[in-house]
Amino acid sequence: MDSSYFSQLAKAIHETGIAHPVLVIDKERLDKNSSCLANVKSQNKAVRLVAKSLPSVPVLRHLMQRLETTRLMCFHLPFLMHLTEEIPEADILIGKPMPQRAVESFYQWQSQKDTTFEPEQQLQWLVDSEQRLFDYEALARRLGLKLRINLEVDIGLHRGGFANLEAFERSLRLLKQSQHLCFSGIMGYEAHITKIPWYLGGPQRAEQQAKSSYAAFVSVIETVFGDPQQYCLNAGGSTTYPLYTSQDLCNEIACASALVKPSDFDVYTLQSHLPAAFIATPVLKTVARPELPMARGLSRLLRITGLLHHQAVFIYGGNWLARPCFPEGMRKVRYFGASSNQEMYSLKEGTPLKSDHWVFFRPTQSEAVMLQFGKIAIYENGRIVDWWQSFEYPDTLYPLASHSD
Ligand SMILES: Cc1ncc(COP(=O)(O)O)c(C=O)c1O
């Protein structure tokens, strides 16, 4: 990666007076990536931002505005609560089937809140099986609720959901008759596509299979409910969104990670996206001829064989789900073990790095890493221009057992 990019970023960080590990989002790159994603709208698809992958209200708000969408996908009860408070206009699809108890907790919590969020219009719960449908129906009846139900369909990933068209049709008919549940759409996820090796058929074949199986579910919806396009037909994810055209039957695409492109998303479908999130951290100590404890001879041997470099640093923090990306050639010293406090990295010979200089990492994924830093530094036009808060947990989520004696 371009060294002048990181020199400029280090300068911007230095100028703010920051002296601890920070997560930086490059807003210009984020915006460029979001313009790539916006192309799905010209293919007649709406965008649904996957909140777990960019867990920050200001980040989501910024993108919702740019992409002209209020649709979010949410995977975690505390964050559902947080979102309904912070973005009460959001239209939320739950991305995985939640335990009944979590559904109940949400409504209990919501009944004590003064929010304009209306679950009957704005929330879809995901159901993956007939059994869960019966359970949700019983729960909704007991609580006197009306729940909107989106059915998870298995289109090849095999992470659960309806795989069988008969069970799917029975569930649609149950939903049609139910007083407490109503059908809102389907969700089919296919993150496996770009990863299928040629000897298992390759990505193209996986894509064809996923799309034809999605179409089969859509035709059952047509049989039971009529025009399927009036429902939420969700598909896609970061690695697959560019594969969808107006010919495909889904009417919305879920996506988020691609907008900051962590290293797990270095795939051929995202070549037009740029990495936009980096961990920056200061060097604490530089070490010439790094040595392992009690192993002077072995360390020498490792250095001679190139398994240990001649120069190393201890950095402030470490052990993140991230890979070093600058300076070039920086590598984790595995023999020394991982440390979240001060981790050792070896450097290529001649790397001009001193204490207090900055080193950079690319997160392998955004969802966990963004939550580790509290506030995220926003980098724009060569400067840190703002700090955006990552998701917070609502206070009311920590009940204690009540004593009954
Ligand atoms: C159901 C579902 N849809 C879409 C996504 C895509 O999210 P992202 O674009 O952040 O990879 C995910 C990711 O886990 C998912 O589980």
Side-chain angles (χ1 to χ4, degrees), residues 217-379:
F217 286 106
V218 172
S219 71
V220 180
I221 300 175
E222 194 160 12
T223 318
V224 179
F225 283 104
D227 180 14
Q229 292 302 327
Q230 59 186 310
Y231 298 98
C232 165
L233 304 180
N234 180 278
S238 279
T239 59
T240 52
Y241 91 78
L243 305 174
Y244 285 94
T245 69
S246 54
Q247 306 293 308
D248 297 305
L249 295 172
C250 61
N251 52 26
E252 64 163 42
I253 296 289
C255 182
S257 301
L259 301 174
V260 289
K261 200 180 183 186
S263 60
D264 284 354
F265 293 80
D266 288 341
V267 291
Y268 67 93
T269 48
L270 292 180
Q271 269 163 8
S272 55
H273 284 238
L274 291 169
F278 301 97
I279 296 169
T281 194
V283 169
L284 297 178
K285 308 159 185 167
T286 55
V287 190
R289 291 183 299 285
E291 210 166 86
L292 308 177
M294 304 289 290
R296 178 166 290 176
L298 177 63
S299 302
R300 229 177 124 235
L301 192 69
L302 290 173
R303 286 199 306 272
I304 291 168
T305 53
L307 291 171
L308 196 58
H309 283 163
H310 289 260
Q311 215 188 331
V313 285
F314 285 92
I315 60 162
Y316 189 154
N319 208 14
W320 298 291
L321 287 173
R323 298 211 176 108
C325 63
F326 189 80
E328 209 203 312
M330 185 165 121
R331 279 203 329 237
K332 188 179 285 187
V333 180
R334 293 193 193 287
Y335 314 105
F336 217 86
S339 168
S340 304
N341 168 35
Q342 38 185 326
E343 197 163 47
M344 193 189 208
Y345 281 83
S346 64
L347 301 175
K348 266 202 330 213
E349 200 139 9
T351 307
L353 210 54
K354 295 196 193 123
S355 297
D356 295 356
H357 282 180
W358 290 86
V359 294
F360 295 89
F361 290 76
R362 246 182 102 194
T364 56
Q365 56 152 266
S366 48
E367 58 186 276
V369 176
M370 277 175 70
L371 293 173
Q372 285 181 287
F373 287 85
K375 287 195 173 177
I376 300 156
I378 301 301
Y379 177 61

Side-chain angles (χ1 to χ4, degrees), residues 37 48-54 73 75 93-96 126 152 157 159 187-191 234-241 253-259 262 265 270 366-367:
L37 175 59
R48 186 175 291 278
L49 289 166
V50 181
K52 76 163 173 64
S53 308
L54 293 171
M73 184 179 273
F75 290 78
L93 169 60
I94 301 295
K96 66 184 173 213
L126 194 73
E152 179 177 18
L157 178 62
R159 190 176 73 171
M187 187 283 283
Y189 187 43
E190 26 49 346
N234 180 278
S238 279
T239 59
T240 52
Y241 91 78
I253 296 289
C255 182
S257 301
L259 301 174
F265 293 80
L270 292 180
S366 48
E367 58 186 276

Side-chain angles (χ1 to χ4, degrees), residues 35-291:
S35 302
C36 298
L37 175 59
N39 286 334
V40 301
K41 294 199 285 178
S42 59
Q43 304 298 328
N44 298 330
K45 318 277 177 233
V47 174
R48 186 175 291 278
L49 289 166
V50 181
K52 76 163 173 64
S53 308
L54 293 171
S56 156
V57 167
V59 172
L60 290 172
R61 275 210 175 280
H62 173 73
L63 292 166
M64 287 166 81
Q65 200 181 7
R66 275 190 72 84
L67 291 157
E68 297 171 318
T69 184
T70 55
R71 300 179 198 211
L72 299 178
M73 184 179 273
C74 179
F75 290 78
H76 190 31
L77 178 64
F79 295 159
L80 171 64
M81 294 166 170
H82 183 50
L83 283 172
T84 60
E85 286 201 299
E86 299 297 323
I87 314 185
E89 73 277 24
D91 169 302
I92 301 179
L93 169 60
I94 301 295
K96 66 184 173 213
M98 285 285 174
Q100 275 184 77
R101 195 66 191 259
V103 179
E104 186 167 354
S105 297
F106 173 74
Y107 288 99
Q108 262 166 12
W109 175 87
Q110 229 241 345
S111 66
Q112 293 151 22
K113 292 280 154 187
D114 186 21
T115 148
T116 53
F117 183 81
E118 289 187 36
E120 276 192 22
Q121 269 86 52
Q122 293 172 256
L123 182 60
Q124 302 176 59
W125 295 98
L126 194 73
V127 165
D128 57 329
S129 65
E130 285 182 284
Q131 185 56 52
R132 196 181 305 274
L133 203 57
F134 299 143
D135 294 346
Y136 274 33
E137 156 104 332
L139 177 76
R141 189 174 319 120
R142 178 162 64 77
L143 301 178
L145 295 169
K146 192 145 181 114
L147 307 183
R148 291 169 78 215
I149 302 295
N150 189 298
L151 297 179
E152 179 177 18
V153 293
D154 183 358
I155 55 168
L157 178 62
H158 304 328
R159 190 176 73 171
F162 288 86
N164 169 310
L165 293 179
E166 287 75 44
F168 179 70
E169 181 165 349
R170 280 197 299 275
S171 298
L172 289 182
R173 296 201 183 280
L174 188 149
L175 286 169
K176 201 171 181 185
Q177 284 157 15
S178 173
Q179 305 281 310
H180 295 281
L181 307 182
C182 75
F183 175 64
S184 64
I186 58 170
M187 187 283 283
Y189 187 43
E190 26 49 346
H192 60 290
I193 288 179
T194 55
K195 299 179 184 85
I196 300 298
W198 63 267
Y199 53 84
L200 293 179
Q204 261 188 347
R205 183 122 172 261
E207 179 187 342
Q208 277 159 14
Q209 283 184 2
K211 287 181 175 176
S212 78
S213 125
Y214 196 93
F217 286 106
V218 172
S219 71
V220 180
I221 300 175
E222 194 160 12
T223 318
V224 179
F225 283 104
D227 180 14
Q229 292 302 327
Q230 59 186 310
Y231 298 98
C232 165
L233 304 180
N234 180 278
S238 279
T239 59
T240 52
Y241 91 78
L243 305 174
Y244 285 94
T245 69
S246 54
Q247 306 293 308
D248 297 305
L249 295 172
C250 61
N251 52 26
E252 64 163 42
I253 296 289
C255 182
S257 301
L259 301 174
V260 289
K261 200 180 183 186
S263 60
D264 284 354
F265 293 80
D266 288 341
V267 291
Y268 67 93
T269 48
L270 292 180
Q271 269 163 8
S272 55
H273 284 238
L274 291 169
F278 301 97
I279 296 169
T281 194
V283 169
L284 297 178
K285 308 159 185 167
T286 55
V287 190
R289 291 183 299 285
E291 210 166 86

